[in-house]
Amino acid sequence: LHTGTYSMNNHVHDNGCPLSESISNWANELRTKMDADPVLIGYVDQTIDVSIHSEDDERIQQWEGGHLPGLRRLTETDVMGTPKWLEERNISAGAFSTGHQGWNGYNGDQSWMRQQMWDKECEPYPLPTVYKAEDSDTRVLTERAIQFIQNSEGPFHVHLSLLKPHPPWAAPEPFNEMYKPEDIARSEPVVRCESVEAESQAHPWLKMMHEQDGGLSIFGANATAKEIDDDELYMVKSSYYALISEMDHNLGLLFDSLKETGQWDNTLIVFTSDHGEMMGDHWFMGKLGFHEKSYHIPLVIRDPTRLARDEFSSEKFCFTENVDIMPTILEWFDIKSPHQCDGRSVIPILEKHRGKEPEYIPIGWRSAAHYEVNYSSWGQLEDVNDFHGKSLGLKSPDECYLCVTQEDRFKLVYFLGNLPPLLFDLKSDPGELE
């Protein structure tokens, strides 16, 4: 997302992986090419390049929101979860308080967010969080972004990185009562085989994952959902949708502020995500596997030079990927993308007002989506030196890769380590069940 490169090229395949400083990113390019000062509100998942920095570097010892060269992180929101911050808001630290430092945009204890995550006895809605909506991390980070932009005397470049929707699955009032679990069960049933055993028969990788312990999957672990009953699942889904609505509401506050300050029509906005959620589909929770639910994410771009008026708004049906984000931002600033970039700018697709047809797609644009993942550390591992894939005969975490090419109709899943591939016909089998 930040570097315009695939995992196979940047070697960052999990949270906390170091990113080589030989690989640039959109923020670094803006800082070095146009003397901009891109800021981060929230967190990034990369750590510093350990090959060129000392092991004593405090940025290695303390994650504190991650590190991305060129991106200056604002730290005022780090007070979230600290004893004083909780006391001022009359929020209990919780019975499970450990004093563990958070890394998703704050440094306080995390347990205040995890209380009352779910309770299937609380029908018809999930319990609300123990904190108010104005004290949620989504609101705190959004308000910091609003404050920063309002105080900016010139151009601003802000990466607002919101954790939610994300575990823990709990939403504050009034969002927790927006979606009835029973309505979700009726209108959006899970997509999966009749049993986890039937699902596992499709491929050795599925069998391996579903044979593991899934006790923590309801709390956010990327693992099998075989131990979650339907009542629990749809309660969690209700909270998931509630968190999406909370995020949407807060982005609305940000957009309203841009309009009130006269900045709306000269601000490029890129909205996307780093992953989806399985939410019980194929008997999985979290983001894992090769199924679309983990990878099909939104990409909404408001380019004021092309889409400032409603008649210029349009929806495009073509394959885009997160590797396109960096080239898109750079082209908007007339900066040439470095050779490292695996993606392409989507700016040409937005050029409806330059005489091109609404259905215009640039020549040579990809005809399929591509995604890859290393699954060596997914799920629950008792030994930090262990990795998933040993039972499949894989020799190291480097062999624990799966790669997907997905066209309009066909989807090919390729596994390293001599595991058999999978081919789905999405026209006859849109749920990828056969």
Side-chain angles (χ1 to χ4, degrees):
L1 193 156
H2 295 295
T3 67
T5 59
Y6 290 118
S7 176
M8 68 178 74
N9 292 327
N10 60 45
H11 306 294
V12 177
H13 61 79
D14 204 349
N15 295 341
C17 284
L19 174 65
S20 171
E21 290 194 8
S22 65
I23 300 176
S24 189
N25 61 75
W26 66 269
N28 190 57
E29 292 294 303
L30 295 188
R31 184 173 294 277
T32 58
K33 301 295 174 57
M34 54 182 291
D35 198 29
D37 181 29
V39 300
L40 167 65
I41 298 173
Y43 71 105
V44 292
D45 279 329
Q46 295 80 28
T47 55
I48 62 174
D49 188 345
V50 294
S51 68
I52 63 175
H53 292 281
S54 169
E55 294 182 358
D56 297 327
D57 193 311
E58 64 178 14
R59 293 176 297 174
I60 297 177
Q61 305 302 323
Q62 299 291 337
W63 194 337
E64 294 188 348
H67 303 277
L68 190 70
L71 199 55
R72 178 171 65 91
R73 184 168 176 268
L74 304 184
T75 60
E76 291 85 352
T77 59
D78 284 359
V79 297
M80 281 192 291
T82 59
K84 181 180 179 181
W85 189 87
L86 294 172
E87 183 179 356
E88 290 174 348
R89 289 156 180 78
N90 196 30
I91 302 174
S92 169
F96 301 102
S97 177
T98 63
H100 176 70
Q101 285 189 326
W103 49 267
N104 299 118
Y106 60 94
N107 281 336
D109 193 300
Q110 296 183 21
S111 61
W112 64 285
M113 300 174 64
R114 298 183 178 277
Q115 299 174 71
Q116 299 184 178
M117 282 178 55
W118 60 275
D119 185 344
K120 64 180 181 180
E121 303 299 329
C122 64
E123 297 179 354
Y125 297 102
L127 291 171
T129 56
V130 297
Y131 54 88
K132 298 178 181 179
E134 56 265 31
D135 296 322
S136 74
D137 55 319
T138 300
R139 174 64 67 84
V140 171
L141 295 173
T142 302
E143 288 185 343
R144 181 66 185 99
I146 292 173
Q147 178 190 55
F148 177 82
I149 293 172
Q150 289 180 344
N151 293 338
S152 298
E153 297 181 355
F156 57 86
H157 312 82
V158 177
H159 175 32
L160 173 60
S161 179
L162 300 176
L163 173 65
K164 309 292 178 59
H166 190 283
W169 302 122
E173 294 179 326
F175 303 101
N176 69 301
E177 294 190 358
M178 292 186 68
Y179 304 94
K180 279 189 177 182
E182 62 182 47
D183 292 341
I184 299 173
R186 182 170 52 253
S187 61
E188 298 182 26
V190 289
V191 178
R192 63 190 185 190
C193 294
E194 293 183 359
S195 67
V196 68
E197 291 77 17
E199 192 84 42
S200 299
Q201 293 177 2
H203 194 272
W205 184 88
L206 292 171
K207 184 174 185 296
M208 176 197 70
M209 293 301 296
H210 285 306
E211 286 178 344
Q212 298 173 26
D213 180 15
L216 295 180
S217 61
I218 196 169
F219 299 105
N222 302 319
T224 177
K226 64 184 179 183
E227 299 176 32
I228 302 177
D229 64 36
D230 287 350
D231 289 339
E232 293 171 333
L233 176 61
Y234 289 109
M235 195 70 74
V236 170
K237 266 196 166 185
S238 172
S239 292
Y240 175 53
Y241 293 149
L243 290 170
I244 293 175
S245 291
E246 183 196 13
M247 174 198 65
D248 184 69
H249 171 75
N250 280 277
L251 290 180
L253 297 178
L254 173 60
F255 298 159
D256 286 344
S257 175
L258 290 173
K259 294 174 182 177
E260 292 169 2
T261 57
Q263 297 165 303
W264 176 250
D265 285 335
N266 59 5
T267 300
L268 173 70
I269 299 172
V270 179
F271 172 82
T272 189
S273 177
D274 57 345
H275 63 79
E277 291 287 341
M278 290 301 295
M279 281 291 150
D281 280 13
H282 299 280
W283 297 92
F284 280 128
M285 293 293 285
K287 64 272 188 189
L288 76 173
F290 47 82
H291 299 294
E292 184 170 327
K293 206 67 172 292
S294 286
Y295 302 95
H296 193 177
I297 56 176
L299 174 60
V300 181
I301 299 177
R302 186 181 190 279
D303 180 350
T305 63
R306 299 166 174 85
L307 301 173
R309 296 194 298 274
D310 291 340
E311 61 265 32
F312 288 150
S313 299
S314 62
E315 185 174 0
K316 301 294 184 181
F317 295 91
C318 60
F319 289 107
T320 59
E321 303 175 10
N322 274 349
V323 292
D324 300 327
I325 302 300
M326 177 178 174
T328 298
I329 294 175
L330 295 185
E331 181 173 350
W332 199 77
F333 287 103
D334 293 322
I335 299 175
K336 184 178 179 180
S337 296
H339 292 299
Q340 72 183 41
C341 289
D342 296 316
R344 295 177 59 181
S345 169
V346 304
I347 293 296
I349 300 177
L350 304 178
E351 293 181 331
K352 176 181 178 181
H353 77 299
R354 291 188 175 179
K356 296 182 171 66
E357 295 298 324
E359 296 78 16
Y360 169 76
I361 301 298
I363 296 174
W365 193 261
R366 67 176 68 89
S367 59
H370 310 88
Y371 44 97
E372 56 175 335
V373 72
N374 183 294
Y375 54 84
S376 60
S377 60
W378 278 350
Q380 299 167 222
L381 291 170
E382 296 181 0
D383 186 346
V384 294
N385 296 315
D386 198 5
F387 67 92
H388 294 310
K390 283 186 176 180
S391 62
L392 299 175
L394 304 181
K395 299 178 181 179
S396 74
D398 291 337
E399 289 187 331
C400 299
Y401 270 96
L402 62 86
C403 307
V404 179
T405 296
Q406 180 172 334
E407 301 175 338
D408 286 327
R409 177 171 180 178
F410 294 105
K411 175 176 179 176
L412 175 66
V413 185
Y414 176 78
F415 296 82
L416 294 186
N418 295 319
L419 294 176
L422 287 168
L423 179 65
F424 296 99
D425 185 337
L426 301 178
K427 183 176 181 180
S428 62
D429 179 27
E432 303 173 14
L433 296 171
E434 299 177 2

